[in-house]
Amino acid sequence: MLLLLLTACRVGHYNGLKPYEGDKEPVLKPIFEDRYNSYLFKANIKLYTKSFSGLLLTKQTEQGTYRVIFTTEMGMKLFDFEINQEETIVHYSVPQFDRPLFMKTIQKDMELLLMNGLKNKTPEIFKDKEGRLVHKFSTGEEANYYFQEEDLMRIEHTENNKQKIVFTLDNHINGFSENISIQHYGFRLKIDLTNLKKS
């Protein structure tokens, strides 16, 4: 019964969206500026019952290509992969993370966060009950919803209209979220990121 109620709430959440009717089409601001910047986060990854802490570096190496590296605070590399508009290339992973499901999941998280590949896609635009703009990008049975006030506040990834991943972006400074939380449903993975440095 509880599962049915949760499922109904999630479906109703999207059914409550209303088409945007403004004269000027709003622009979805990227989380990471497209200026070849690098960002350093303190990261906590909880996978099933295990927790991993360290530093997560994201860096744009060329147009549409990003490098994502997770290390311990002592500098030992845990995983390192590259995302471009066509594929994801894994350069390195320790055995604990070298599992197809985990790597595929973490790569998808980073793709959603980096908003890679969205420039050539046209979203449907809605407003939710709180008045936030919602940009919806659909591919088959999957959809990504970007909830925007003045800044981007939330990202939801769905499959068959059910939430699978929710990103919460808090504590914005100069348009950038200092705290990002990534919660998975159906897979016991949670990631918390705290911004340390931008260069």
Side-chain angles (χ1 to χ4, degrees), residues 69-126:
I69 302 171
F70 182 45
T71 71
T72 66
E73 293 189 10
M74 298 297 292
M76 186 179 79
K77 191 183 294 186
L78 299 177
F79 63 70
D80 174 0
F81 59 86
E82 179 182 314
I83 298 172
N84 60 47
Q85 296 185 17
E86 297 179 355
E87 61 180 342
T88 299
I89 302 168
V90 178
H91 292 286
Y92 177 79
S93 175
V94 294
Q96 298 96 314
F97 291 145
D98 192 17
R99 303 174 184 179
L101 179 58
F102 172 77
M103 290 306 296
K104 182 178 179 180
T105 301
I106 200 81
Q107 289 162 21
K108 190 175 195 70
D109 287 348
M110 293 300 106
E111 287 174 357
L112 289 169
L113 198 57
L114 293 167
M115 301 167 69
N116 206 27
L118 295 186
K119 285 186 175 180
N120 298 322
K121 295 183 179 180
T122 302
E124 298 176 78
I125 303 176
F126 302 91

Side-chain angles (χ1 to χ4, degrees), residues 22-171:
D23 295 329
K24 186 177 180 181
E25 184 172 306
V27 176
L28 179 61
K29 299 177 182 178
I31 300 170
F32 298 90
E33 296 174 294
D34 194 12
R35 297 177 185 169
Y36 300 91
N37 289 327
S38 62
Y39 296 82
L40 183 66
F41 296 90
K42 180 175 177 58
N44 289 290
I45 299 177
K46 188 169 184 180
L47 178 63
Y48 295 105
T49 59
K50 296 183 178 180
S51 295
F52 304 88
S53 296
L55 302 173
L56 185 78
L57 174 72
T58 67
K59 180 174 178 59
Q60 185 181 27
T61 56
E62 58 184 83
Q63 186 72 31
T65 300
Y66 297 85
R67 197 74 176 259
V68 179
I69 302 171
F70 182 45
T71 71
T72 66
E73 293 189 10
M74 298 297 292
M76 186 179 79
K77 191 183 294 186
L78 299 177
F79 63 70
D80 174 0
F81 59 86
E82 179 182 314
I83 298 172
N84 60 47
Q85 296 185 17
E86 297 179 355
E87 61 180 342
T88 299
I89 302 168
V90 178
H91 292 286
Y92 177 79
S93 175
V94 294
Q96 298 96 314
F97 291 145
D98 192 17
R99 303 174 184 179
L101 179 58
F102 172 77
M103 290 306 296
K104 182 178 179 180
T105 301
I106 200 81
Q107 289 162 21
K108 190 175 195 70
D109 287 348
M110 293 300 106
E111 287 174 357
L112 289 169
L113 198 57
L114 293 167
M115 301 167 69
N116 206 27
L118 295 186
K119 285 186 175 180
N120 298 322
K121 295 183 179 180
T122 302
E124 298 176 78
I125 303 176
F126 302 91
K127 275 202 167 186
D128 67 4
K129 293 178 181 179
E130 286 75 37
R132 296 177 296 186
L133 288 169
V134 183
H135 299 251
K136 177 185 177 183
F137 296 86
S138 301
T139 304
E141 296 177 343
E142 297 186 7
N144 301 316
Y145 297 81
Y146 291 82
F147 292 76
Q148 184 177 5
E149 294 178 8
E150 183 176 346
D151 299 304
L152 188 62
M153 307 301 293
R154 187 176 176 90
I155 306 168
E156 297 181 8
H157 172 74
T158 68
E159 296 176 15
N160 295 313
N161 216 28
K162 297 177 184 177
Q163 285 180 355
K164 292 295 182 180
I165 316 169
V166 173
F167 298 69
T168 304
L169 298 93
D170 294 317
N171 189 21

